[in-house]
Amino acid sequence: MIDELYSARILKLAANLPHSGRLAAPRGDARRGTGERVARLCGSKAIVDVALDADGRVEAFAQDVKACALGQAAAGVLGEAVIGASAGEIAAARDAMAAMLKSGGDGPEGRFEGLRALKLVAAYPARHASTLVAIEATLDAVKQALARQAPDTRTRLAGAA
């Protein structure tokens, strides 16, 4: 089963990390946020920067991910799909991913359906946190950017999330 877990597809996703690095941004930009998550068990770490458009969707994205192949693969899928996503879509994908790993759920749908490639990780609980680290950091970054926006914008966008 371990050979299936580290399939050619997973290794390819891990090797091709879209939007790698950090966003160059002036401090105080109300449309930007940064999230950071660390998986305590293995030390996998993701730092994610986002910039949101006027509708609260991800307009720019960068990720600095130091993780095992499974965490890198999840970050690869995320990087391919996140531009244009709302906080609600990212939260739904994170919740579906967690359910897939922990309770046999089908996994994310729509733009983040590629995360289903990691379904076999469910059999390895020690790898769950690493697999979720990038999407959790992304959601934190989006929430931070939304919180920094003007109150009337936050109210309008919160309804869309």
Side-chain angles (χ1 to χ4, degrees), residues 21-157:
R22 302 290 306 272
L23 288 182
R27 291 205 183 271
D29 186 342
R31 298 178 322 125
R32 295 190 182 249
T34 298
E36 182 174 342
R37 286 293 180 111
V38 177
R40 291 185 196 140
L41 185 62
C42 67
S44 292
K45 180 177 182 178
I47 301 172
V48 172
D49 298 315
V50 299
L52 304 181
D53 65 16
D55 293 323
R57 294 185 174 277
V58 177
E59 179 177 70
F61 173 85
Q63 58 183 342
D64 182 11
V65 180
K66 308 283 191 271
C68 67
L70 300 171
Q72 292 280 131
V77 172
L78 180 71
E80 291 175 351
V82 74
I83 301 297
S86 68
E89 288 175 299
I90 297 166
R94 188 264 327 264
D95 293 347
M97 181 78 170
M100 178 181 80
L101 295 174
K102 298 173 192 220
S103 58
D106 291 331
E109 297 178 352
R111 75 171 63 236
F112 296 107
E113 189 172 322
L115 290 168
R116 291 180 177 196
L118 295 153
K119 191 170 183 85
L120 291 176
V121 177
Y124 300 90
R127 297 287 185 231
H128 292 183
S130 177
T131 307
L132 291 166
V133 76
I135 197 163
E136 289 177 339
T138 301
L139 187 55
D140 289 348
V142 170
K143 286 179 178 179
Q144 183 186 87
L146 287 171
R148 297 169 97 188
Q149 293 181 339
D152 61 325
T153 304
R154 284 197 309 261
T155 302
R156 181 176 53 83
L157 296 176

